[in-house]
Amino acid sequence: MTRSVYVTGIDRGDGRQVIDLGVMELLTRQVDRVGVFRPLVHDTPDRLFELLRSRYRLAQDPATVYGLDYHEASALQAERGTDELVSELVDRFHRVARDYEVVLVLGTDYADTQFPDELALNARLANEFGASVITVVGGRRQSPDSVRAETRNAFRAYEGLGCDVLAMVVNRVDPGDRAELAEGLGALLPVPCYVLPDEPALGAPTVAQITHALDGKVLLGDDSGLARDALDFVFGGAMLPTFLGALTPGCLVVTPGDRADLVVGAMAAHSAGTPPIAGVLLTLDERPSDEILTLAARLAPGTPVVSVAGNSFPTAAEILTLEGKLSAATPRKAETALGLFERHADTAELLRRVSAPSSDRVTPMMFEHKLLERARADKRRVVLPEGTEERVLRAADVLLRRGVCDLTLLGPVEQIRKKAADLGVDLADAQLIDPRTSELRDQFALIYSQLRSHKGVTEELAYDIVSDVNYFGTLMVQEGLADGMVSGSVHSTAATIRPAFEIIKTKPDAKIVSSVFFMCLADKVLVYGDCAVNPDPDAEQLADVAVQSAATARKFGVEPRIAMLSYSTGTSGTGADVDKVRQATELVRARHGDLKIEGPIQYDAAVEPSVAATKLPDSEVAGQASVLIFPDLNTGNNTYKAVQRSAGAIAVGPVLQGLRKPVNDLSRGALVGDIVNTVAITAIQAQDHSSADVPAGT
């Protein structure tokens, strides 16, 4: 039977979309096929469903998502009664439920509806759907006593109407009241109650939303700039020195279009990062000269300048009533919302209470979700040497909003801040260090010169070497100032991992440093090794790669069944290359009898049961291999890229293994999502390393 979760409320303005998004995140971690049903809808396409469909790559036909629009439902209820309305919605729900393992039901929104008792309707629908209920209560601008009373009454109302209440969520409370409310409600209610503070960034409209609402014209700016949140509004009428003192981080400057001095001053302030602004809104349908706009664009590339027809007073009145909305066009808000939900709700407890059936399949999305969840559970600090690189900054934005790990970014600090401001990335919670000016440079030079004195490295030479961001980041990891490092989006593999070889070195039980890729196929995750580091490992090294890869696979939830790949299977082939693989296989069997391993074996026999049944019918690995070890770098690198491109697989890696502390390399073509995943993997690897690791150079 399909498990269903019904997220509902008691009134409008509760910010319930945050909880809808958070619950969807939980469900997609657990199962592959999650459906969505909204019984009543105002307009289609529905903004929230479009966000869920975009973010979670839902294949569900939008026509099946919606029950009835509010006008249809109201007319049906008036003509034929509530029972007929409910019967119609139940029929439409079951058309969705039969195709999915779990259905997330999005309750009514209490906005501009004509139902006399909307709460009772939600409760009845939840019961008829066989769905458990998560009830959301809005706490914005309410006293703690009022919130407590309203939450208790909401629980009693839904429980009294026969609902299976999984949890209560109080949203948008004053941050100063959150801890007290959470403790008090936890003792007051028989079900878990999660209390989420009000988050200004979620309620702030983006510059794009303001532009659309005011029918504005974009004079300058790119998509990234238009996606910035307008966290405050500064109305420009004063002279420039006074005006500059009034600017606040993330503010939207509203000024008449003929005030070229304020336009240039605001953009110059943004360029200097004192402070970064969201953009400039020009009123009176006036626009500065082309020369002023050119200067503004050079000062703050990407920062939006928008012109509207109205004068300042009605424009101000309108924008002050606008509220930010979660949508497919606001991915940063979605990351902020998920980070908020995951920090303040006990997601593990909630998932247990949902009791969604666990899927045997592991989709790419499920694998990625679990990475972030595991990294967040025991936060570590990861250093990113490429602090001025756009993709790294965008990845840092996601990681910080989701609370995945703590971050240190390396590079010229003012350049990092300016680039982040241009991208609308908030680095307030990140540590920024310029290796060239850092007080750590002298200390690191001494450490590195001692480590490399046998190579003739003096302290003076070391002083220059450690100003390199990769050397500096590696030394931070070695000295315990960071738990792991990720680099390589603009540096070569050699530039990224050479410092690790020199400073961190290999584990005592590892003969070499090697790598794996997690290949996320449509319904499973395979581990490929080694596709990035060792050109032509000998039998001993190949055996070491297999053992390391099995350990890495197990660490990330993939049960290792090792296939030692070759161009022949079993005893069918001969030659030096096959003999190397055969010897490596025997070495693993002799030293690690607990590991399931087969080799030499061809790729098709390793992963396809029908081929395995013919070639190796008695093997416990053939046809179901999860860890595939390639005989050399040429084969491994080409194979992973071929599978990635032709099968549409997501390749996460390379993940380095064998080092005493985690350092990972990125492909120079890495996307933002690749960087996020690699940082999460690095943080998880760091969870196994304590501060008592073996000192450098021993």
Side-chain angles (χ1 to χ4, degrees):
M1 179 178 176
T2 299
R3 183 77 159 116
S4 303
V5 180
Y6 196 116
V7 181
T8 184
I10 60 173
D11 202 353
R12 65 184 304 180
D14 54 19
R16 199 184 321 150
Q17 297 89 346
V18 173
I19 289 78
D20 292 326
L21 190 63
V23 173
M24 187 66 170
E25 181 87 5
L26 286 181
L27 296 177
T28 54
R29 287 179 194 170
Q30 193 79 358
V31 298
D32 179 27
R33 294 182 296 113
V34 181
V36 178
F37 185 67
R38 186 183 275 286
L40 300 177
V41 65
H42 287 287
D43 299 298
T44 57
D46 175 66
R47 172 175 50 82
L48 180 57
F49 172 68
E50 290 302 308
L51 167 60
L52 297 177
R53 181 165 71 153
S54 166
R55 183 174 186 85
Y56 299 103
R57 302 189 281 275
L58 303 182
Q60 184 177 353
D61 181 354
T64 68
V65 173
Y66 313 116
L68 299 168
D69 71 39
Y70 279 93
H71 295 298
E72 291 175 323
S74 181
L76 178 59
Q77 185 184 48
E79 293 173 13
R80 298 163 58 188
T82 300
D83 287 350
E84 287 294 325
L85 169 63
V86 171
S87 178
E88 178 66 26
L89 293 174
V90 168
D91 285 345
R92 297 192 182 203
F93 166 78
H94 282 297
R95 292 174 201 167
V96 175
R98 67 191 179 197
D99 293 328
Y100 295 93
E101 298 166 275
V102 181
V103 177
L104 173 62
V105 184
L106 310 174
T108 68
D109 58 14
Y110 295 86
D112 303 320
T113 64
Q114 300 175 22
F115 295 100
D117 192 349
E118 205 161 337
L119 188 152
L121 177 61
N122 279 298
R124 181 169 177 188
L125 289 174
N127 290 334
E128 297 289 353
F129 296 167
S132 297
V133 170
I134 296 175
T135 304
V136 184
V137 176
R140 197 174 197 187
R141 300 190 182 96
Q142 292 192 54
S143 69
D145 287 343
S146 174
V147 172
R148 273 190 289 269
E150 196 162 82
T151 305
R152 183 170 54 183
N153 290 338
F155 171 75
R156 288 174 174 171
Y158 277 99
E159 186 188 45
L161 290 167
C163 293
D164 172 28
V165 180
L166 283 178
M168 302 292 295
V169 181
V170 183
N171 193 27
R172 308 184 83 176
V173 305
D174 186 300
D177 297 332
R178 197 207 72 80
E180 177 192 347
L181 279 169
E183 183 178 355
L185 288 168
L188 192 65
L189 297 172
V191 298
C193 184
Y194 310 121
V195 182
L196 278 60
D198 198 22
E199 172 52 65
L202 288 176
T206 65
V207 178
Q209 289 171 335
I210 293 170
T211 302
H212 177 74
L214 299 180
D215 195 25
K217 300 174 185 174
V218 179
L219 306 182
L220 293 177
D222 55 22
D223 289 343
S224 178
L226 290 166
R228 296 177 192 170
D229 296 322
L231 300 175
D232 190 11
F233 299 99
V234 173
F235 298 92
M239 298 301 289
L240 184 60
T242 304
F243 164 78
L244 290 176
L247 295 178
T248 58
C251 70
L252 181 69
V253 172
V254 183
T255 184
D258 58 359
R259 290 296 303 272
D261 58 330
L262 301 188
V263 174
V264 172
M267 301 297 257
H270 176 88
S271 177
T274 55
I277 64 172
V280 178
L281 184 68
L282 304 176
T283 61
L284 300 175
D285 206 19
E286 292 277 347
R287 58 174 288 166
S289 67
D290 290 344
E291 290 80 7
I292 292 296
L293 289 176
T294 299
L295 176 59
R298 288 178 178 172
L299 284 169
T303 299
V305 175
V306 177
S307 174
V308 298
N311 64 37
S312 296
F313 183 78
T315 298
E318 188 164 358
I319 62 177
L320 289 173
T321 64
L322 293 176
E323 188 166 358
K325 302 291 184 184
L326 287 171
S327 72
T330 59
R332 287 180 188 158
K333 285 189 184 298
E335 300 293 354
T336 300
L338 285 170
L340 185 72
F341 182 81
E342 290 161 343
R343 279 194 299 275
H344 298 290
D346 186 337
T347 54
E349 176 188 48
L350 186 55
L351 195 54
R352 284 194 300 271
R353 293 180 66 82
V354 169
S355 301
S358 182
S359 175
D360 291 333
R361 302 175 68 205
V362 180
T363 67
M365 185 177 297
M366 292 166 69
F367 183 72
E368 291 171 348
H369 286 339
K370 288 175 181 175
L371 289 180
L372 301 189
E373 183 181 23
R374 286 185 59 187
R376 189 185 302 110
D378 183 10
K379 286 178 69 173
R380 299 295 163 137
R381 177 169 295 278
V382 178
V383 59
L384 306 177
E386 297 160 327
T388 58
E389 165 60 29
E390 178 176 337
R391 290 165 294 160
V392 171
L393 286 168
R394 292 191 185 280
D397 193 33
V398 173
L399 292 159
L400 292 170
R401 288 175 186 264
R402 295 291 299 276
V404 174
C405 61
D406 297 320
L407 293 178
T408 298
L409 280 74
L410 302 183
V413 172
E414 290 309 314
Q415 286 186 33
I416 295 173
R417 286 182 176 148
K418 183 177 186 306
K419 185 73 170 182
D422 290 341
L423 297 171
V425 169
D426 182 4
L427 295 180
D429 293 329
Q431 179 186 39
L432 308 182
I433 297 177
D434 185 348
R436 298 173 305 175
T437 59
S438 171
E439 60 187 15
L440 293 169
R441 187 174 177 182
D442 288 330
Q443 176 188 341
F444 284 177
L446 176 60
I447 293 169
Y448 184 72
S449 66
Q450 291 173 343
L451 281 172
R452 304 295 290 173
S453 60
H454 64 289
K455 294 290 186 180
V457 176
T458 64
E459 191 171 344
E460 183 180 8
L461 177 58
Y463 187 78
D464 290 334
I465 292 172
V466 301
S467 67
D468 176 271
V469 289
N470 285 314
Y471 275 93
F472 193 93
T474 303
L475 282 158
M476 286 189 69
V477 175
Q478 178 58 41
E479 293 303 300
L481 301 174
D483 300 299
M485 185 180 93
V486 174
S487 188
S489 67
V490 292
H491 289 93
S492 68
T493 294
T496 299
I497 66 177
R498 184 186 297 114
F501 290 164
E502 295 177 0
I503 298 166
I504 293 175
K505 305 184 185 296
T506 58
K507 294 178 180 178
D509 60 347
K511 292 179 172 59
I512 57 172
V513 173
S514 61
S515 73
V516 296
F517 278 89
F518 291 99
M519 301 301 294
C520 302
L521 304 174
D523 60 351
K524 59 186 173 183
V525 176
L526 300 178
V527 177
Y528 283 11
D530 171 12
C531 304
V533 179
N534 297 288
D536 189 16
D538 60 26
E540 282 275 356
Q541 293 170 329
L542 199 59
D544 196 51
V545 171
V547 172
Q548 289 186 36
S549 300
T552 301
R554 184 174 281 116
K555 181 178 181 61
F556 289 93
V558 178
E559 184 59 30
R561 294 182 294 274
I562 309 167
M564 304 294 285
L565 299 176
S566 178
Y567 58 76
S568 72
T569 295
T571 59
S572 66
T574 59
D577 292 337
V578 180
D579 291 342
K580 178 180 78 169
V581 174
R582 185 175 290 115
Q583 183 183 351
T585 304
E586 292 306 319
L587 287 171
V588 175
R589 283 182 176 144
R591 297 169 183 174
H592 300 274
D594 57 317
L595 290 176
K596 296 178 181 178
I597 188 168
E598 190 67 67
I601 186 172
Q602 292 161 291
Y603 191 100
D604 57 349
V607 301
E608 177 52 51
S610 61
V611 177
T614 300
K615 293 189 173 183
L616 287 172
D618 299 322
S619 172
E620 60 181 350
V621 171
Q624 52 183 339
S626 59
V627 177
L628 297 107
I629 305 301
F630 294 91
D632 54 58
L633 186 60
N634 180 51
T635 308
N637 193 269
N638 278 296
T639 302
Y640 107 75
K641 289 181 177 178
V643 173
Q644 180 186 31
R645 300 300 177 185
S646 60
I650 294 175
V652 180
V655 177
L656 298 185
Q657 49 194 16
L659 288 168
R660 288 176 172 170
K661 294 187 178 184
V663 171
N664 281 313
D665 180 36
L666 296 166
S667 163
R668 275 172 279 183
L671 303 176
V672 171
D674 301 330
I675 299 172
V676 169
N677 289 334
T678 303
V679 172
I681 284 174
T682 305
I684 294 167
Q685 288 178 311
Q687 291 168 359
D688 280 351
H689 293 80
S690 72
S691 59
D693 279 334
V694 181
T698 62

